[in-house]
Amino acid sequence: MEYRTLGRSGLKVSALTMGTMTFGGAGVFGSVGATDAREARGLIHLCLDAGINLIDTANMYSGGLSEEIIGEVLGAERPNDVLLASKVRMRIGEGPNDEGLSRHHVIRECERSLKRLRTDVIDIYYCHEWDGTTPLEETIAALDTLVTQGKIRYIGCSNYAAWQVMKGLGISDLHHHPRFVTQQIHYTLEAREAEYELLPLSVDQGLGVLVWSPLAGGLLSGKHRRGASAEGSRLTAGWTEPPIRDEDRLWRIVDVLAEIGEGRGVSAAQVALAWLLGRPAVASLVIGGRREDQFRDNIAAASLKLTDDERKRLDDVSRPPVLYPYWHQYNTARDRFGPADRVLDHG
């Protein structure tokens, strides 16, 4: 397993992170998975034995059951080299303060997550999504309080726009609060819009990128082909995240993934993950599943190195048909380098 430095921090994380959204199976998460503590024990130890050192969860996953299961499996004496990440923001109850990034909600939910995880500290604590009703200064100050108290070690954001990330970094710098060291984003061969701003921002500001659902909810695994979805999948259970905007393009991408995989004797999923691991600023991919064979296959991607030709094939087939730059980027690119389509090469 490869270990990568997370942004400008000194923290080393495995190239693959264990995702646990399938743990619990309560409410809407039942269509994703319903892994109980017994099943989770085997999956967690499989990942740890493979060298994965980061387990990712959130307070909202199955209403806290995901965190409880992790806490039960690892216990109060979790190994020193096992890192935990959790998140706060989403609605977790019916009360007026049961969502958001207010000081009240952030601190209360962190303390609840610590209890469920049976630990004294969360290594990476994410703002799960933007909260436009709470001043970001309040949120960052609350996170600073938790860092000072020793309850969290690093902070991150997830599903933010680039200007929101930069606003947070600016507030942290101004008030000498901890900075985001990572952002967790949606980024796949099928969805490359992060290359417009989120990845350049991460390179410039030193944020380590974690990618959620790197196989697009299993659509890039190779098990789903044009006109036929695998039985028992998230799709057949009604799960619709992340969204697919161009289905024909998706299946063209899957065809190339399958062709490369067959030529290398590996799965299409491994090829898709290997492509992501070679992208700028990407530190780790959050992989999930309900069965050991799914995790074993995904874990093998950490040692797969694609050739330049294979990367070019994937770059070409996954490039969106229209890539309009901002007007000022187009003018600069045209004046300096010629046609804009040569400059905005997403490969």
Side-chain angles (χ1 to χ4, degrees):
M1 179 63 63
E2 177 187 0
Y3 298 92
R4 301 179 175 189
T5 301
L6 187 63
R8 290 180 185 167
S9 76
L11 190 67
K12 300 291 196 303
V13 299
S14 47
L16 300 176
T17 293
M18 183 181 191
T20 61
M21 191 170 67
T22 59
F23 289 9
V28 297
F29 292 95
S31 61
V32 179
T35 303
D36 60 22
R38 181 188 61 80
E39 296 167 324
R41 187 178 301 277
L43 296 177
I44 288 175
H45 287 292
L46 169 66
C47 289
L48 298 184
D49 291 344
I52 290 176
N53 73 343
L54 177 57
I55 299 176
D56 181 87
T57 186
N59 67 333
M60 71 170 297
Y61 293 168
S62 291
L65 278 176
S66 174
E67 291 180 324
E68 288 183 13
I69 290 172
I70 294 169
E72 180 178 342
V73 171
L74 294 180
E77 301 298 328
R78 66 171 161 131
N80 289 330
D81 56 350
V82 175
L83 307 173
L84 295 178
S86 194
K87 312 178 191 75
V88 61
R89 158 64 176 94
M90 306 304 191
R91 176 164 288 281
I92 45 80
E94 299 301 322
N97 289 305
D98 285 341
E99 68 173 335
L101 292 173
S102 67
R103 169 177 286 272
H104 172 87
H105 189 73
V106 168
I107 292 178
R108 185 191 69 181
E109 287 308 304
C110 178
E111 292 172 344
R112 288 178 172 177
S113 290
L114 289 169
K115 290 179 180 179
R116 288 191 289 261
L117 290 166
R118 304 187 191 184
T119 185
D120 295 326
V121 61
I122 294 171
D123 298 284
I124 306 171
Y125 201 47
Y126 288 97
C127 298
H128 205 164
E129 190 178 68
W130 177 255
D131 176 8
T133 65
T134 300
L136 194 50
E137 290 84 354
E138 178 180 338
T139 301
I140 298 294
L143 294 170
D144 177 65
T145 296
L146 292 170
V147 171
T148 301
Q149 292 175 343
K151 295 176 180 176
I152 61 176
R153 292 195 172 120
Y154 297 95
I155 68 172
C157 57
S158 180
N159 305 316
Y160 273 33
W163 70 266
Q164 295 164 347
V165 180
M166 284 303 304
K167 184 174 182 179
L169 294 173
I171 290 170
S172 293
D173 291 344
L174 179 64
H175 297 286
H176 305 289
H177 290 326
R179 294 176 113 237
F180 296 137
V181 300
T182 177
Q183 59 170 328
Q184 192 171 135
I185 66 172
H186 175 217
Y187 179 39
T188 69
L189 273 163
E190 192 281 328
R192 297 180 60 180
E193 58 269 20
E195 295 172 4
Y196 274 122
E197 293 190 337
L198 292 178
L199 290 186
L201 179 157
S202 296
V203 171
D204 180 69
Q205 293 295 311
L207 275 67
V209 170
L210 271 77
V211 177
W212 60 264
S213 196
L215 294 176
L219 287 172
L220 299 177
S221 67
K223 298 177 181 178
H224 308 280
R225 304 303 289 268
R226 191 186 301 269
S229 293
E231 288 299 321
S233 68
R234 296 183 190 181
L235 291 176
T236 56
W239 190 260
T240 58
E241 290 186 2
I244 301 301
R245 299 181 177 87
D246 187 338
E247 188 170 330
D248 183 63
R249 173 171 162 270
L250 165 69
W251 300 127
R252 292 198 304 271
I253 293 170
V254 173
D255 288 342
V256 175
L257 286 171
E259 289 173 9
I260 293 175
E262 290 169 5
R264 296 289 295 272
V266 300
S267 68
Q270 290 182 39
V271 177
L273 295 174
W275 181 86
L276 275 173
L277 286 172
R279 303 304 292 168
V282 172
S284 187
L285 311 179
V286 182
I287 59 170
R290 291 174 284 185
R291 305 188 311 273
E292 287 193 5
D293 63 297
Q294 293 173 318
F295 276 102
R296 291 185 190 280
D297 184 74
N298 286 182
I299 289 169
S303 58
L304 177 64
K305 304 299 180 185
L306 299 179
T307 67
D308 290 342
D309 179 65
E310 289 167 340
R311 285 194 167 279
K312 185 178 186 304
R313 289 185 64 192
L314 292 169
D315 292 338
D316 290 344
V317 73
S318 64
R319 187 174 291 112
V322 178
L323 286 173
Y324 292 118
Y326 298 119
W327 69 269
H328 56 281
Q329 290 176 324
Y330 176 82
N331 289 338
T332 301
R334 180 190 59 193
D335 293 343
R336 291 185 182 179
F337 305 107
D341 59 353
R342 288 171 50 195
V343 180
L344 292 179
D345 185 347
H346 276 44

